[in-house]
Amino acid sequence: MPEGTMAMAVHEHSQRSPILRFSFRADGTGPATTAAATGLDAHTVSARVLAVLRILTGFVFLWAFLDKVFGLGYATASGKGWIDGGSPTKGFLSSVAAGPLQSTFHAWAGAAWADWLFMLGLAGIGAAVMAGVALRPAAVAGTAMMALMWLAEWPPAKHLTDGSPSMSTNPFADYHMIYAVALVAVAAVGAGATWGLGRWWARLPVVRDHTWLR
């Protein structure tokens, strides 16, 4: 076969043939199939990763709500749940021992309005984020909640008001910041469309007319 004809045949064959990419395992035992070989593109992988982040972040809030309501024996002792007459805010806010809002948080501790607002926030944010709906309002509410909790714990302090070490591990980027950033991220990219009810939610007339509800 002439050289030009052979080159043309190879070129046509390469256009028609699917490209499979493989990477070798670190132990050298054989090829490992990559996302390209399994038919998953980068967009699909990213969407699923963000969906997992969304579900886990929502579960953090929803679990905190359930534990504080029923006293599941984790952060809230058995028999001390909200349903048993306990206060979801009294223990935490009354123990605030650092920061510029210390007296303010002490005044809020155990107040009925604070308990209801805190618990409704946990339930609403957790349910919405796990379901993939109303992610923007949930991100705003969740970020405000995390900011208040960050102020209550006041990570910049090295010592508490009694002089004891605060045991702060980072003066700024603690877990409250991470949760807030995660909420903003999943809302910004519309992560509710994957493994969630985001597409259905976005089609509702009220949501179409008020995009801030997405």
Side-chain angles (χ1 to χ4, degrees):
M1 180 181 295
E3 183 178 351
T5 305
M6 181 180 295
M8 183 180 297
V10 171
H11 178 70
E12 292 177 352
H13 178 72
S14 65
Q15 288 183 328
R16 292 194 299 265
S17 300
I19 298 176
L20 298 180
R21 295 184 176 89
F22 297 90
S23 61
F24 286 87
R25 299 187 181 96
D27 58 5
T29 56
T33 305
T34 64
T38 57
L40 297 178
D41 57 22
H43 177 75
T44 301
V45 173
S46 298
R48 293 182 180 181
V49 169
L50 287 169
V52 171
L53 175 64
R54 188 200 83 235
I55 293 169
L56 290 176
T57 303
F59 185 68
V60 168
F61 287 84
L62 193 59
W63 173 261
F65 169 79
L66 295 173
D67 182 62
K68 292 180 184 302
V69 169
F70 300 107
L72 300 179
Y74 290 88
T76 307
S78 179
K80 299 291 185 179
W82 200 24
I83 198 173
D84 302 307
S87 169
T89 62
K90 186 174 183 179
F92 175 64
L93 292 181
S94 62
S95 64
V96 173
L101 298 179
Q102 181 178 348
S103 59
T104 300
F105 288 127
H106 288 175
W108 292 356
W113 67 265
D115 289 344
W116 276 97
L117 193 60
F118 181 54
M119 296 301 283
L120 288 174
L122 288 177
I125 295 166
V129 174
M130 287 195 72
V133 302
L135 293 180
R136 293 179 183 178
V140 172
T143 299
M145 180 182 291
M146 290 298 101
L148 287 171
M149 294 180 71
W150 186 89
L151 289 169
E153 294 195 10
W154 197 243
K158 293 182 179 179
H159 298 88
L160 304 179
T161 52
D162 61 1
S164 61
S166 66
M167 305 304 289
S168 175
T169 58
N170 190 302
F172 178 73
D174 74 337
Y175 65 99
H176 297 104
M177 294 290 182
I178 303 302
Y179 291 153
V181 170
L183 287 170
V184 172
V186 298
V189 301
T194 301
W195 298 341
L197 302 176
R199 296 183 190 279
W200 166 80
W201 178 259
R203 289 195 297 266
L204 295 178
V206 66
V207 179
R208 287 202 307 266
D209 295 338
H210 303 86
T211 56
W212 62 270
L213 289 173
R214 292 186 178 180

